[in-house]
Amino acid sequence: MGNDIKNINEALDNATGKFHLKTFLTAGMGFFTDAYDLFIIGTVIAILPMVGWSLTTTDKALIGSTSLIAAVVGALTFGRLLDYLGRKAVYGLELVLLVIGAIGSALLSFKNPAVLIGWRFLLGIGIGGDYATSSVIMAEYSNIKTRGKYVGSILSMQSIGLVVSSLIALAFLLNATVIPLAYAWKILLIVGAVPPMFVIYYRRKMPEPPRYTVARGDAKKAAENLKNYTGLDVNVSGDHEKVNAPWYTLFKDRKFLITLIGTAGAWFLMDWAFYGNSIMSNDIFKFVITQTGLAGLIRSTEYSALIFTVAALPGYWLATFTLDKIGRKPIQVIGFVMLAVTYGILALFPVLDTVSHVDEFLVIYGISYFFMMFGPNVTTFVYPPEVFPVTTRGLGSGISAAGGKTGAFIGTFVDVFIIASGLSLLMTILAIFAIAATIITVLCLPEPKGRAIEEVSRESQYITTKQ
């Protein structure tokens, strides 16, 4: 590896400092909001018919899933722009779209499902952009020893968004006589615009990550940004080297293509289960509750809050703080295996999906959420920015996230219809998906633990001297 590229990368690979925390907070607040916006819509969908909206089953499916297919567009677009224009040029713009989409959804829908779907599409583009950008930027500022923890922490902010969304929704439902549901759903949506407003400025002020700048051939600017943002002082010679790995490298290099199949494929299968189950949770819990109407919605929201708090949240953070000890691949395999087991139990014993066995259902279903988080939900996010070269890292991460959100969209849209045929059918499909994802993980993905990202991504093979 060239001297300047090597020196900049090694400085960051071994660095510690407050800049890690600053980068995490700037990126992580976006993921808190992403989770809130994506999962609060399930409660909103349940409220809308109670306040005079006429919704067909297809309307409900599209309102719940449109932001996810839009996230595919956002992830691919921002991922490519991240490499083509640079990280600084686009970082923060995704949150602008998210804010506009959240406000429009709340205030400018006019009881028209098509208009609400349009605003949710814009919001989803911003969410997809956040998936492509934040993981890359955090990975490029991280060191070898704690990279998994910091990149995983960004995704794990999603756990707080999950819990907050369910608790806020529950608070409004329990106080429907104080704040009528006709206003409550609007407030629930507009809350999602508030947190990103506070971090747009800080994202726009962040300098270009030095790893990217030096890889593009500007060692002096990379050293300047490194000094200003991290306090690290590295001497560079301006030796005119760069990483020459254009976007099509991901498809021409057989190893990168296999890795891309692994990152995008595993994420696709995981997100089908995660988003389908979470956004459609009210429909799933109908199998194990007797209440209907507002009372039924309150009870299902209580169950969601319980599972998110007791099972999902600790799973996220346990994965985050053990990634650099256990490794990404073992955690992902363990998670998928346990998903296959728990979904398989619910599929083989449909009696568990009934009112008389609600406690048993909640325990097994809760275990599935724990191992989804202490497993592939965190690792599929951490993997992409670690395994692709710096000049294609945005696109590789964007394609991987797009794979995940494609699965999320299909799962959320199709699950509405699958659940109508019985919960055991859905659990059978998800168990098969978990087995397939385990095989993909074993065959296609490397182990980045304890290795520099430039080593894992084989950047040295693409270094050339700039003429």
Side-chain angles (χ1 to χ4, degrees):
M1 187 173 287
N3 288 332
D4 286 345
I5 294 176
K6 179 180 178 181
N7 291 342
I8 293 290
N9 286 341
E10 285 188 349
L12 286 164
D13 285 339
N14 297 289
T16 58
K18 293 182 179 179
F19 69 92
H20 286 142
L21 180 60
K22 179 168 61 175
T23 307
F24 157 67
L25 291 174
T26 303
M29 188 55 67
F31 271 82
F32 164 83
T33 305
D34 294 344
Y36 178 90
D37 284 328
L38 286 173
F39 295 110
I40 200 65
I41 196 64
T43 301
V44 171
I45 291 171
I47 291 174
L48 292 180
M50 300 180 188
V51 296
W53 283 56
S54 179
L55 299 179
T56 66
T57 300
T58 301
D59 289 334
K60 293 178 181 179
L62 285 173
I63 292 170
S65 62
T66 291
S67 58
L68 297 169
I69 196 63
V72 174
V73 178
L76 292 174
T77 302
F78 276 85
R80 179 69 187 106
L81 292 176
L82 207 63
D83 296 330
Y84 183 68
L85 298 178
R87 285 49 165 156
K88 180 175 175 58
V90 299
Y91 199 40
L93 299 181
E94 70 289 336
L95 292 188
V96 173
L97 297 179
L98 191 153
V99 169
I100 295 172
I103 294 174
S105 298
L107 303 179
L108 301 173
S109 295
F110 312 116
K111 286 192 175 182
N112 187 327
V115 176
L116 176 57
I117 289 167
W119 286 115
R120 292 290 295 178
F121 189 88
L122 181 63
L123 178 143
I125 292 176
I127 290 174
D130 200 15
Y131 270 84
T133 56
S134 290
S135 62
V136 167
I137 289 171
M138 189 72 251
E140 290 182 347
Y141 276 114
S142 297
N143 61 37
I144 294 174
K145 187 177 179 180
T146 60
R147 186 177 64 244
K149 180 184 73 173
Y150 275 109
V151 179
S153 292
I154 294 175
L155 193 279
S156 291
M157 289 295 289
Q158 192 180 69
S159 67
I160 302 176
L162 280 173
V163 173
V164 168
S165 67
S166 59
L167 292 178
I168 289 179
L170 186 60
F172 276 97
L173 294 173
L174 291 172
N175 293 279
T177 55
V178 179
I179 301 177
L181 294 180
Y183 299 104
W185 73 268
K186 295 176 181 288
I187 299 172
L188 289 174
L189 291 180
I190 206 167
V191 165
V194 177
M197 290 181 180
F198 291 98
V199 294
I200 290 172
Y201 170 80
Y202 295 102
R203 289 193 178 190
R204 297 301 300 156
K205 289 288 289 183
M206 287 182 70
E208 196 76 82
R211 292 186 198 269
Y212 176 82
T213 305
V214 72
R216 295 299 293 264
D218 194 345
K220 292 183 178 179
K221 184 64 176 178
E224 179 183 333
N225 288 343
L226 184 69
K227 175 68 174 178
N228 291 338
Y229 190 72
T230 71
L232 299 172
D233 199 353
V234 175
N235 293 322
V236 294
S237 61
D239 56 13
H240 303 296
E241 289 185 323
K242 64 178 182 178
V243 177
N244 186 23
W247 67 269
Y248 50 80
T249 302
L250 297 180
F251 307 99
K252 288 184 63 177
D253 188 311
R254 182 174 175 272
K255 290 185 178 180
F256 285 142
L257 182 58
I258 291 173
T259 301
L260 189 61
I261 291 171
T263 55
W267 206 339
F268 173 92
L269 295 169
M270 189 280 302
D271 264 11
W272 182 312
F274 178 35
Y275 285 89
N277 288 358
S278 300
I279 294 177
M280 294 296 116
S281 61
N282 292 315
D283 289 338
I284 290 175
F285 288 130
K286 284 179 182 178
F287 287 87
V288 294
I289 62 177
T290 57
Q291 298 91 336
T292 59
L294 179 59
L297 180 56
I298 290 173
R299 180 52 56 89
S300 65
T301 305
E302 288 173 341
Y303 285 162
S304 293
L306 176 66
I307 286 177
F308 290 159
T309 303
V310 175
L313 188 147
Y316 272 103
W317 293 101
L318 182 60
T320 294
F321 286 101
T322 57
L323 279 170
D324 296 308
K325 298 179 176 66
I326 299 175
R328 288 66 158 155
K329 194 167 184 175
I331 290 177
Q332 184 156 308
V333 169
I334 290 169
F336 276 129
V337 168
M338 289 304 299
L339 287 178
V341 171
T342 51
Y343 293 147
I345 292 172
L346 294 175
L348 292 172
F349 301 97
V351 68
L352 295 171
D353 310 335
T354 60
V355 175
S356 58
H357 290 83
V358 60
D359 292 339
E360 294 89 339
F361 176 84
L362 290 176
V363 169
I364 297 171
Y365 197 56
I367 291 172
S368 78
Y369 263 86
F370 174 82
F371 280 102
M372 185 178 290
M373 310 318 166
F374 181 65
N377 193 39
V378 173
T379 54
T380 52
F381 178 79
V382 174
Y383 253 117
E386 295 187 306
V387 295
F388 300 113
V390 60
T391 51
T392 58
R393 186 168 292 143
L395 181 60
S397 297
I399 293 173
S400 301
K405 293 303 163 281
T406 301
F409 166 75
I410 296 173
T412 303
F413 184 85
V414 174
D415 282 5
V416 176
F417 302 95
I418 296 175
I419 291 170
S421 299
L423 198 56
S424 61
L425 175 60
L426 175 62
M427 294 302 158
T428 300
I429 293 171
L430 296 182
I432 294 171
F433 283 178
I435 294 170
T438 303
I439 295 171
I440 290 173
T441 300
V442 171
L443 296 180
C444 298
L445 294 176
E447 177 52 67
K449 182 190 75 170
R451 301 167 63 192
I453 52 176
E454 50 271 14
E455 175 194 347
V456 180
S457 63
R458 298 185 292 117
E459 284 180 16
S460 61
Q461 297 182 22
Y462 291 93
I463 289 182
T464 60
T465 301
K466 187 175 69 173
Q467 301 300 325

